Amino acid sequence: MTATASRPPDAAPPATGGKRARKRERQGAAWVFLSPWVIGATVLTLLPMAVSLYLSFTDYDMFDAPRWIGFRNYTQMFTEDPRYWRSVTTTLTYVVIAVPLQLALALAVAIALKSVKRGKGFYRSAFYAPSLLGASMSIALVWRAIFNDGGSVDNLLSGMGIDIGGWINKPGWAILSVALLTIWQFGAPMVIFLAGLQQIPAELYEAAAVDGASWWRQFRSITIPMLSPVLFFNLVLQMIQAFQVFTPAFAVSAGKGGPADSTLVYTLYLYDRGFTASHMGYASAMAWVLLLAIGVVTAVLFRTSRAWVFYANDTNEGGR
């Protein structure tokens, strides 16, 4: 029998230098692979944000050196600039119209595609295509032609006895034409809705059908609660994008926000102040207010989601 030698109580523990060296090597390799992203985020995002924050407290016209003026840009924005508040009102109107209608259309098409047996891939690609094309300036210019005087919409409505004229020339209708371009780009949320619908167990619908539940009752009691996390995800994404809308409003109004500032969305007015009027300090202040506003809206959505978003592993229905 072989005796096993035991280490004296006062002996030093085994050396861990090798483990620490290997850990440092792994961390070093991780930083090497992360370095392109870190450098890109620092140079292209964090540094410009810091410069923009500084410029928001200055009077800067892009030609002369920035001159520090403190909170003057912010006070002028909130108390002395009526066009700023018109841009806020126009943007909120656009968001209220575009986001709910886009999500409703996306959900309706996703439900229809879920029951399609043949050619689902083709239809999915066809409905997704507008999301790829709609953000381009060329599509926005085509949209302007469609809703202009003598355009397709004007001719169609005139043939039905509805004489409105070109929407983009009517203050009450111009923002609706911009919103419709966003609603038309429902492909991205539709694909996400479709993926969520396919995760709902079919047994729930079968049990509801046995109990005599109508289609509408199944939609209210099964589809919406089970799809609420996906609905919340789409709502947050589309809300953030809607507050930053620019290309459709720029194309429809030729960069002026007309008629009568009816398409003067926030980012279009920011562009006008920064690049047309060369008030880059003022535009930087507007950008930071927009960032804070989007942050507040997103925080409110997350806070209120506790009352209506249902997760499968929750113990309390409707809670987090």
Side-chain angles (χ1 to χ4, degrees), residues 19-294:
K19 293 182 179 180
R20 292 177 179 175
R22 287 192 297 270
K23 183 178 180 180
R24 285 195 296 268
E25 289 177 0
R26 289 194 297 268
Q27 291 176 345
W31 280 109
V32 169
F33 285 107
L34 286 173
S35 60
W37 180 88
V38 173
I39 295 173
T42 302
V43 175
L44 300 178
T45 302
L46 297 179
L47 184 59
M49 287 182 65
V51 173
S52 173
L53 181 61
Y54 166 73
L55 291 178
S56 70
F57 296 101
T58 67
D59 180 14
Y60 179 51
D61 59 5
M62 297 190 295
F63 300 101
D64 300 322
R67 182 173 60 89
W68 184 268
I69 58 174
F71 287 93
R72 174 59 180 165
N73 287 326
Y74 293 94
T75 56
Q76 179 182 353
M77 185 190 313
F78 294 130
T79 61
E80 303 175 15
D81 190 354
R83 291 196 77 199
Y84 171 81
W85 289 111
R86 284 199 293 272
S87 72
V88 172
T89 303
T90 301
T91 302
L92 292 176
T93 303
Y94 166 83
V95 171
V96 170
I97 295 174
V99 174
L101 292 179
Q102 184 193 50
L103 293 182
L105 182 59
L107 180 57
V109 175
I111 292 175
L113 286 181
K114 184 176 181 291
S115 60
V116 172
K117 302 301 181 182
R118 303 177 61 180
K120 182 179 293 187
F122 168 78
Y123 290 115
R124 186 184 304 173
S125 301
F127 284 118
Y128 185 76
S131 293
L132 300 177
L133 303 175
S136 64
M137 179 60 75
S138 58
I139 296 297
L141 292 175
V142 171
W143 207 261
R144 173 185 171 87
I146 291 175
F147 286 91
N148 208 341
D149 289 329
S152 302
V153 174
D154 185 16
N155 293 333
L156 177 62
L157 294 178
S158 297
M160 299 171 61
I162 304 175
D163 189 12
I164 297 178
W167 289 19
I168 64 174
N169 298 318
K170 302 291 189 296
W173 293 86
I175 192 62
L176 181 58
S177 66
V178 177
L180 286 176
L181 179 53
T182 297
I183 297 169
W184 178 65
Q185 304 171 48
F186 64 88
M190 178 210 67
V191 171
I192 298 174
F193 276 137
L194 185 58
L197 288 170
Q198 292 173 344
Q199 300 302 315
I200 301 177
E203 293 82 2
L204 297 178
Y205 294 104
E206 294 172 359
V210 170
D211 291 339
S214 63
W215 178 89
W216 176 246
R217 184 58 185 270
Q218 293 180 30
F219 178 76
R220 288 175 48 205
S221 302
I222 299 176
T223 304
I224 291 299
M226 296 298 293
L227 204 62
S228 58
V230 178
L231 179 60
F232 173 67
F233 177 78
N234 273 332
L235 177 62
V236 171
L237 287 187
Q238 299 309 315
M239 189 76 70
I240 292 174
Q241 293 180 12
F243 274 105
Q244 302 177 74
V245 62
F246 174 79
T247 302
F250 182 89
V252 166
S253 67
K256 303 299 182 181
D261 289 343
S262 59
T263 59
L264 186 69
V265 294
Y266 195 97
T267 52
L268 182 57
Y269 188 50
L270 189 155
Y271 172 86
D272 176 77
R273 293 294 85 196
F275 295 97
T276 303
S278 297
H279 294 164
M280 189 58 68
Y282 191 86
S284 298
M286 287 185 62
W288 276 94
V289 171
L290 177 61
L291 176 64
L292 293 176
I294 292 176

Side-chain angles (χ1 to χ4, degrees), residues 220-222 224-226 228 305-320:
R220 288 175 48 205
S221 302
I222 299 176
I224 291 299
M226 296 298 293
S228 58
S305 68
R306 300 180 179 181
W308 61 275
V309 177
F310 171 78
Y311 293 94
N313 58 350
D314 284 345
T315 56
N316 297 321
E317 185 175 347
R320 279 181 176 271

